[in-house]
Amino acid sequence: MKTIRLGAKGPNVSQFGIGAMSFAGIYGDATVEESHAVLNDCRAAGVTHIDTANVYGKGRSEEIIGSWFADTPGARNDMVLATKAAITGDAERPFNNDPDYLESCLDASLKRLGVDHVDLFYVHRFDRAHSPEDLAGTLAKLIDSGKTRAVGLSEIAPATLRRAWTECPIAAVQSEYSLSTRAPELGLVQTCAELDTTLVAFSPVGRAFLTDAPFSYDRAQSMAFTQNNPRFMQPNYNANIAITDNFRALAADMGEPAAALAIAWVIAQGDHVLPIPGTKNAQHLTELLRGTQIDPSAEDLARIEQVLPVGWAHGDRYTAAQWLGPERYC
């Protein structure tokens, strides 16, 4: 398992992490046993990064990880643990970056996780009631408190990252990045590289579109996130399946699972790029992990680009409601 440095001065971490949103039933129910099995398999494969958030299942994901640490001697010492906060669930103020609010959320996360600190604490959404500089000052104080070793931001614009960096080193920025979502190439990939900030890529297999078993239309309509998402609505859904069938055919021709090829492509975008796919299925995890062992050639990357050129996806990646919070940029 290849390792990279998390941020400019952070710990070495596997260039593949497990995103724990799936543990909280976001894409269907996951049992504690299934989630623990995935974490055990990750640890055995040399995966050293776990990413969660306080809103995943209203703390359920963190509780599952905490119970795995409790049941698995030595596991906490092996893992670089990240969590996030700032989404309130309050319609009047959906995001809150107030210092006391963020610290209280972090305290609650530590309790659910059963640890005295996390290695990385993200602000899940930027609250424009604060400037990037003020927010970075708040994060610097959380580092000083010892409750987190490093800090990050999620779904922010390159300019926000630059402004925050003037007050506190930002170890990581989390953003959706995959063959189906290429917006980070409009400045975020480059700015992260310049500032020695790790770009943590969530949904690197395109919410299953870039796998050999994409969600059926009926299944997509049964899950809260995808049922109204533009890419999973007709006629976009059928168009996206037809296009990604070409990617599945290419992966088969190369003798690889489609998900593995998608992960390999993300890793190939830079030594500072770290994909964090999520799964509750051991077989799917095996396919995802295979991507860390593929070193695509320039010819391979060109063939991938040919079947999935920039802008191929039909429909926006978010609904209007889902776009509340993430920063758009160009």
Side-chain angles (χ1 to χ4, degrees), residues 59-254:
R60 175 172 167 78
S61 176
E62 291 177 329
E63 289 170 352
I64 288 173
I65 294 166
S67 66
W68 181 67
F69 286 148
D71 293 347
T72 313
R76 176 65 186 99
N77 294 332
D78 294 342
M79 293 295 168
V80 175
L81 177 62
T83 195
K84 302 180 283 292
I87 298 176
T88 67
D90 181 351
E92 294 297 319
R93 188 180 184 185
F95 315 116
N96 188 338
N97 293 174
D98 291 352
D100 57 347
Y101 179 79
L102 290 177
E103 186 163 16
S104 68
C105 287
L106 179 53
D107 288 340
S109 290
L110 296 178
K111 184 175 181 179
R112 285 188 291 269
L113 291 161
V115 299
D116 62 3
H117 74 278
V118 293
D119 301 290
L120 176 61
F121 178 67
Y122 290 98
V123 173
H124 210 161
R125 290 290 185 271
F126 176 46
D127 169 14
R128 291 165 181 80
H130 297 269
S131 70
E133 293 85 355
D134 286 345
L135 175 56
T138 295
L139 294 176
K141 291 177 181 178
L142 290 178
I143 295 174
D144 291 341
S145 76
K147 296 176 182 179
T148 184
R149 299 290 189 256
V151 293
L153 301 172
S154 177
E155 301 240 58
I156 51 108
T160 300
L161 172 60
R162 290 184 183 279
R163 289 179 61 183
W165 241 104
T166 64
E167 298 298 323
C168 178
I170 304 300
V173 168
Q174 193 164 127
S175 182
E176 183 172 358
Y177 188 32
S178 72
L179 279 161
S180 61
T181 298
R182 304 279 294 268
E185 294 170 6
L186 297 174
L188 189 61
V189 174
Q190 299 87 339
T191 302
C192 285
E194 177 188 338
L195 297 177
D196 284 332
T197 294
T198 301
L199 176 58
V200 178
F202 71 83
S203 297
V205 295
R207 304 189 191 280
F209 272 124
L210 304 175
T211 73
D212 290 314
F215 298 142
S216 69
Y217 178 74
D218 287 344
R219 186 181 177 200
Q221 291 306 299
S222 73
M223 297 183 290
F225 181 87
T226 54
Q227 64 181 190
N228 295 311
N229 184 277
R231 293 186 177 176
F232 291 89
M233 301 294 289
Q234 297 291 14
N236 292 340
Y237 174 84
N238 283 349
N240 288 329
I241 289 294
I243 294 170
T244 54
D245 278 344
N246 297 323
F247 178 68
R248 282 180 278 280
L250 173 62
D253 183 64
M254 295 172 67

